Amino acid sequence: MTETILVRSARLADGTSVDILVKDGVIAELGAVTASAERVIDAAGLLALPGLIDLHTHLREPGFEQSETVLTGSRAAAIGGFTAVHAMANTSPVSDTAGVVEQVKSLGDAAGYVTVRPIGAVTVGLEGAQLAEIGAMANSRAKVRVFSDDGKCVSDALLMRRALEYVATFGGVIAQHSQEPRLTEGAQMNEGTLSGQLGLAGWPAVAEEAIIARDVLLAQHVGARLHVCHLSTAGSVEVVRWAKARGIDVTAEVTPHHLLLTEQLVGGYDSRYKVNPPLRRDEDVQAVRAGLADGTIDIVATDHAPHPVEAKECEWEAAAFGMVGLESALSVVQASVVDTGMLDWADVARVFSRVPARIGQLAGYDRGIAVGAPAEFTLYNPDASRVFDTGQLRGKGVNSPYLSTTLPGQVVATIHGGYATVLDGELIDVETIARHAGAANHG
Ligand code: DOR
């Protein structure tokens, strides 16, 4: 059940002002629209961006519903301006069979706030010993194209080679969590002077860079596509830059938190800043920003990682790794790379929507805001500013590193599947969305 929606006077990323007519789930007209519509949204002063697409979201269902569910994570995504998310495989049971990925897809379809694309595990149980049923997941109703053991590295070089070879046969991609396990045993934060001062075991940059270097060479050797998850160091940017210069088929992502925050925050032992890979040095933050600006890093992805309060509100060494990120992502991207003059809004549309759509093979979603394209977009007020607090979170996790800080921008509306999921900065209720989604899924 789609709506006809007329958005009046929105500003596109290229600066032009247009009306947008949404009909039957697609963008029917763009320009000066005279038609009437069931719903009219006044978008004067608002930026229209193609719906954000996250290639790296932990939705936690099945198995860890105390942390997040597909529904609550989808709501967090919609309020953040997302219209599609890719759900990571570290669930319980692990998303390593056709049955589990189909379950995740069905839960996403039923929730209806965003398109949920399951990511399949590379190895059985994320154990790094035996390849998962990659072909069965690819051929399932969930049509999985991205495979990852995220949270863990596929550290065995032969298994990584075989996984790359396998996905190359159907145009899939392996998204690697690049972390050499032996070099990071017991690691708690970035390795350097500060980890020494704080007495915390270090996670050295070389543990990330060595795996990326190995994997780009493997990808080249077997002629496969590699995606690097949450790249975090200046050296990693150099390795990916080198690989791309040699024509190797690699893409890379950076998280909003690695674009904004540094290891200095760990000094207070506040576990909201505990994340894997860890927050790095200021030089690394500058390098990942520059890498995103020059195209070495292809996309931004959140690594939204909700945890229950008891898993985070404990001493640093016992706390879980991870931060929630969906609700704050666009504001953090604005603060770190737009307001600093490194990216413009057309770049943001590219790195946070069009290219992630291409990597995830979400048909049609890479067209942006264009006549005939799926009606997937967000209306954003970049001139707003807000003190970010738990009242702005819609997922179950409150482990945000931005609480009590002022962030720029505000998502005002999100349109997904031809209907509004967010209006006036607030989510549309669960029942209305389920009704829209049910109609869309069944005819
Ligand atoms: O901080 C993290 N949390 N990094 C990961 O790689 C996994 C994630 C999680 O699942 O909590």
Side-chain angles (χ1 to χ4, degrees), residues 272-335:
R272 285 182 305 138
Y273 303 116
K274 183 172 178 181
V275 67
N276 186 17
L279 301 178
R280 304 286 188 185
R281 304 163 308 164
D282 187 52
E283 300 92 292
D284 297 299
V285 171
Q286 298 310 324
V288 293
R289 287 181 182 182
L292 186 65
D294 73 15
T296 303
I297 298 174
D298 301 81
I299 66 167
V300 177
T302 69
D303 197 4
H304 176 79
H307 289 291
V309 171
E310 59 276 17
K312 286 301 259 186
E313 281 188 6
C314 48
E315 59 178 304
W316 180 275
E317 281 175 303
F321 289 95
M323 308 172 160
V324 293
L326 289 167
E327 299 98 330
S328 52
L330 190 50
S331 292
V332 175
V333 166
Q334 180 181 346

Side-chain angles (χ1 to χ4, degrees), residues 58 60 90 150-151 177 230 275-277 303 305 307 321-322:
H58 294 277
R60 306 294 194 214
N90 59 344
D150 181 68
H177 172 118
H230 43 50
V275 67
N276 186 17
D303 197 4
H307 289 291
F321 289 95

Side-chain angles (χ1 to χ4, degrees), residues 151-162:
K152 288 185 174 174
C153 181
V154 181
S155 61
D156 182 307
L158 181 59
L159 260 184
M160 187 61 182
R161 173 192 177 153
R162 294 284 178 247

